[in-house]
Amino acid sequence: FAEHTDPAYVSFCFDTAHSTVAGINLVELIHKYGVRKVLFSAMVRFVLEEMFLFSPGTAGIGVAMGLHGISNGLFMACATNYIFAITPDQAKASAQTIAGALTSVASIIGSFIGGMLIDSFGANGYFTFTISLVGLAIVVFLISVPLGKLLGKGEPPEVA
């Protein structure tokens, strides 16, 4: 993949493509640390990204964009691996296609709603909201496995 990727054609977002170009193998990270730890790391990076957007000047925005790309790349790698692991062989391609389509639709809807929130509450209000929302997601994520075990659902699959 990296041999066929020209960084000049990829936007300033340290995402999956940039990670590969930089020598970071996201799948290897998942193999080494497990999908839950990598996904948790992506969520924490997202919160840090949003916090840097509060800072004045371009330096904060530059750091935020770097964190955005890393967290987005980690999210994509985790989602792709998780979907692959839990989907039956005959439906793997369809599951990945549906996930990609839903991600695209969610991006459009999220951008639209995000714009409305910024118009209504300002950028600081928006970032406070998104930090709170992801903070809540982190709490739910951290209690989901113990709660699943308590409810008899067992251990979720660890993917690689």
Side-chain angles (χ1 to χ4, degrees), residues 79-92:
T80 302
N81 278 273
Y82 189 75
I83 291 166
F84 186 84
I86 65 170
T87 306
D89 287 341
Q90 66 275 14
K92 287 186 188 301

Side-chain angles (χ1 to χ4, degrees), residues 41-115:
S41 165
M43 287 190 262
V44 170
R45 282 183 169 95
F46 180 82
V47 169
L48 291 173
E49 164 202 336
E50 297 290 296
M51 293 170 105
F52 272 104
L53 289 172
F54 277 114
S55 63
T58 56
I61 293 172
V63 171
M65 291 297 91
L67 288 169
H68 171 78
I70 294 169
S71 62
N72 196 33
L74 292 172
F75 278 126
M76 290 189 306
C78 288
T80 302
N81 278 273
Y82 189 75
I83 291 166
F84 186 84
I86 65 170
T87 306
D89 287 341
Q90 66 275 14
K92 287 186 188 301
S94 298
Q96 294 294 346
T97 301
I98 292 168
L102 291 174
T103 300
S104 297
V105 170
S107 295
I108 294 167
I109 293 170
S111 295
F112 178 74
I113 292 172

Side-chain angles (χ1 to χ4, degrees), residues 83-153:
I83 291 166
F84 186 84
I86 65 170
T87 306
D89 287 341
Q90 66 275 14
K92 287 186 188 301
S94 298
Q96 294 294 346
T97 301
I98 292 168
L102 291 174
T103 300
S104 297
V105 170
S107 295
I108 294 167
I109 293 170
S111 295
F112 178 74
I113 292 172
M116 289 181 7
L117 289 171
I118 289 172
D119 284 347
S120 298
F121 303 105
N124 285 346
Y126 169 76
F127 293 128
T128 300
F129 173 75
T130 58
I131 289 170
S132 302
L133 192 62
V134 175
L136 178 63
I138 290 171
V139 170
V140 170
F141 180 78
L142 290 173
I143 66 170
S144 65
V145 172
L147 185 61
K149 288 178 184 176
L150 186 66
L151 296 174
K153 301 293 182 188

